[in-house]
Amino acid sequence: QVQLVEFGGGLVQAGRSLRLSCVASGDDLNHYVMAWYRQAPGREREFVARITSAGTTVIEDSVKGRFTISRDRAKSATYLQMNSLKPEDTAVYYCNALYFVNGMNYWGEGTLVTVAS
């Protein structure tokens, strides 16, 4: 079982950048696909980006070209670099770990990102 803690949320002006970090502990992350999701007020949680242990990434269309996902195996960390932020990016951002052996999902508690116009 893996535990996830997110860092890096906060208030930022539109057009600026922010990097979120997710630090994992408790298991070998080579068995996990790491991802970021977000949930805006009044909306369902939605996929943002994911990265496999091999480094293959998928970025959701609405943030493609502005957001990138990466991971640092030595630090057991996964990052979400968010550039050119927009007010509609305001949400709680959640780190997710999918254990691809059995399909179990693990979630962090989330970090709030607020983008002011």
Side-chain angles (χ1 to χ4, degrees):
Q1 184 171 344
V2 67
Q3 292 81 45
L4 306 172
V5 180
E6 301 99 335
F7 301 93
L11 173 63
V12 64
Q13 294 292 316
R16 303 299 292 270
S17 298
L18 206 59
R19 188 176 83 155
L20 304 182
S21 302
C22 171
V23 178
S25 61
D27 202 353
D28 181 359
L29 291 187
N30 285 325
H31 299 144
Y32 291 84
V33 176
M34 302 300 298
W36 287 95
Y37 286 72
R38 67 185 180 184
Q39 187 167 16
R43 301 186 65 177
E44 294 187 354
R45 192 173 298 187
E46 64 178 9
F47 168 78
V48 177
R50 69 170 179 260
I51 184 168
T52 69
S53 58
T56 303
T57 63
V58 176
I59 308 294
E60 198 277 329
D61 285 346
S62 68
V63 302
K64 195 172 292 183
R66 299 189 297 121
F67 291 13
T68 57
I69 187 171
S70 61
R71 62 195 293 177
D72 184 332
R73 291 187 179 188
K75 296 181 179 180
S76 297
T78 305
Y79 305 103
L80 184 68
Q81 178 67 43
M82 305 184 293
N83 299 327
S84 301
L85 282 161
K86 304 175 180 181
E88 52 263 43
D89 295 318
T90 295
V92 177
Y93 284 72
Y94 296 91
C95 182
N96 170 267
L98 170 64
Y99 186 49
F100 59 75
V101 173
N102 63 10
M104 286 290 292
N105 267 295
Y106 300 91
W107 296 92
E109 293 189 352
T111 185
L112 176 63
V113 172
T114 303
V115 183
S117 58

